[in-house]
Amino acid sequence: MNQPDPTYVEASGVPANVIKYALQPVSLVLILWYWINDPDNPLAFAITIGALHMVLWPLELSMPARPGWLIRGWEKARDIVLVILLTIATGYVAVLYDALLREPLSDFRQSLNLDVWPHQWPLLVQVFVVFFCSEFIWYWFHRAEHRWHFAWRLTGHGTHHSFKRLGALNFGLNHPLEFFLLVLPAALIELTFGVGLAAAGAAILGTAQASIAHCNLDLNTKGIGWLLTTNRYHIHHHSVVLAESNTNYGCSAIIWDRLFGTFADAQTREAGSGPTEPSLWQKVLMPIREPVDTAIAPD
Ligand SMILES: [Zn+2]
């Protein structure tokens, strides 16, 4: 399965190579720079993530790494609407966790003397501390989804893997049940340690990274791929081959895969949960009834 994909289009020419090497680091720098100039702005998440997708969308159309994965027309429109609705729902899950967990976790912090958050550090450094700590928890949650059948089903993780063609929007195409798990790591870090402002920056950084990690472009992995995931690494996690799917659990950071022995660097020939893509309704029902051709669900 590891032979090169003959349909994969590698970047060639100056504009494509500028995108290949600059898109990910420049996007992250610009997004964090915008946020840190007004970290209280409640619209910063929508503006930065919206702007990133307005850049990724035309690039995917004009220089896709896998032309066969392009999504157009009503299907694209449906995905945009779904991602917007699901992202808004995710915000409500975060509000719910805040309402339920802020007080007990604050009591927990005080009882154990966990008032250790480095509020005096530069805000940007705090953002990266929240980001890598949240990603550490997410790494184990995600690994558990792929290890235990009940965790896979309960969170509907199969839905996120069921897409045969990936693009930047797949960052937000999960089963609604899974958002309760996706939001939890950052909420636990934020509320246990009383993080404050940096948590908002980390949420933007994580979502930008997850968007780039799913995009259908030929991007560089060298350098940036030591700590942060790239689309080459994350798309490998979306492979239809079980052994390939059980690698690269980090959806935004990759350092934890490198440290815990689940990192893989190889090209991916085919994505999805099986040979065919389930319908939208089959995807919604995946927590209770899995398509018979599912090849990557844990036993
Ligand atoms: Zn997964």
Side-chain angles (χ1 to χ4, degrees), residues 142 146 157 161 237:
H142 191 188
H146 282 267
H157 191 53
H161 277 271
H237 174 70

PDB file of all heavy atoms in Angstrom, residues 142 146 157 161 237, ligand 1:
ATOM      1  N   HIS A 142      -8.008  10.436  21.487  1.00  0.00           N
ATOM      2  CA  HIS A 142      -8.124  10.001  20.100  1.00  0.00           C
ATOM      3  C   HIS A 142      -7.594   8.568  19.942  1.00  0.00           C
ATOM      4  O   HIS A 142      -8.194   7.737  19.254  1.00  0.00           O
ATOM      5  CB  HIS A 142      -7.354  10.993  19.210  1.00  0.00           C
ATOM      6  CG  HIS A 142      -7.586  10.827  17.746  1.00  0.00           C
ATOM      7  ND1 HIS A 142      -6.875  11.512  16.813  1.00  0.00           N
ATOM      8  CD2 HIS A 142      -8.430  10.028  17.043  1.00  0.00           C
ATOM      9  CE1 HIS A 142      -7.279  11.161  15.608  1.00  0.00           C
ATOM     10  NE2 HIS A 142      -8.213  10.254  15.712  1.00  0.00           N
ATOM     11  N   HIS A 146      -9.589   4.933  18.798  1.00  0.00           N
ATOM     12  CA  HIS A 146      -9.140   3.937  17.815  1.00  0.00           C
ATOM     13  C   HIS A 146      -8.770   2.612  18.466  1.00  0.00           C
ATOM     14  O   HIS A 146      -8.473   1.641  17.761  1.00  0.00           O
ATOM     15  CB  HIS A 146      -7.927   4.474  17.033  1.00  0.00           C
ATOM     16  CG  HIS A 146      -8.322   5.458  15.974  1.00  0.00           C
ATOM     17  ND1 HIS A 146      -8.572   5.096  14.659  1.00  0.00           N
ATOM     18  CD2 HIS A 146      -8.548   6.790  16.045  1.00  0.00           C
ATOM     19  CE1 HIS A 146      -8.909   6.175  13.972  1.00  0.00           C
ATOM     20  NE2 HIS A 146      -8.911   7.213  14.780  1.00  0.00           N
ATOM     21  N   HIS A 157     -16.736   8.485  16.116  1.00  0.00           N
ATOM     22  CA  HIS A 157     -15.494   8.878  15.427  1.00  0.00           C
ATOM     23  C   HIS A 157     -15.433   8.349  13.994  1.00  0.00           C
ATOM     24  O   HIS A 157     -14.782   8.942  13.133  1.00  0.00           O
ATOM     25  CB  HIS A 157     -14.274   8.417  16.229  1.00  0.00           C
ATOM     26  CG  HIS A 157     -12.985   8.997  15.729  1.00  0.00           C
ATOM     27  ND1 HIS A 157     -12.786  10.353  15.555  1.00  0.00           N
ATOM     28  CD2 HIS A 157     -11.815   8.408  15.330  1.00  0.00           C
ATOM     29  CE1 HIS A 157     -11.575  10.566  15.087  1.00  0.00           C
ATOM     30  NE2 HIS A 157     -10.959   9.412  14.927  1.00  0.00           N
ATOM     31  N   HIS A 161     -14.011   9.727   9.927  1.00  0.00           N
ATOM     32  CA  HIS A 161     -13.127   8.955   9.045  1.00  0.00           C
ATOM     33  C   HIS A 161     -13.812   8.479   7.768  1.00  0.00           C
ATOM     34  O   HIS A 161     -13.152   7.900   6.909  1.00  0.00           O
ATOM     35  CB  HIS A 161     -12.581   7.736   9.794  1.00  0.00           C
ATOM     36  CG  HIS A 161     -11.385   8.054  10.639  1.00  0.00           C
ATOM     37  ND1 HIS A 161     -10.099   7.988  10.160  1.00  0.00           N
ATOM     38  CD2 HIS A 161     -11.294   8.473  11.933  1.00  0.00           C
ATOM     39  CE1 HIS A 161      -9.264   8.333  11.129  1.00  0.00           C
ATOM     40  NE2 HIS A 161      -9.959   8.634  12.203  1.00  0.00           N
ATOM     41  N   HIS A 237      -3.431   9.432   8.718  1.00  0.00           N
ATOM     42  CA  HIS A 237      -4.317   8.919   9.770  1.00  0.00           C
ATOM     43  C   HIS A 237      -5.714   8.607   9.214  1.00  0.00           C
ATOM     44  O   HIS A 237      -6.431   7.774   9.759  1.00  0.00           O
ATOM     45  CB  HIS A 237      -4.412   9.933  10.919  1.00  0.00           C
ATOM     46  CG  HIS A 237      -5.400   9.528  11.958  1.00  0.00           C
ATOM     47  ND1 HIS A 237      -5.191   8.468  12.816  1.00  0.00           N
ATOM     48  CD2 HIS A 237      -6.637   9.997  12.252  1.00  0.00           C
ATOM     49  CE1 HIS A 237      -6.248   8.316  13.599  1.00  0.00           C
ATOM     50  NE2 HIS A 237      -7.136   9.231  13.276  1.00  0.00           N
TER      51      HIS A 237
HETATM   52 ZN    ZN B   1      -9.112   9.263  14.072  1.00  0.00          ZN
END
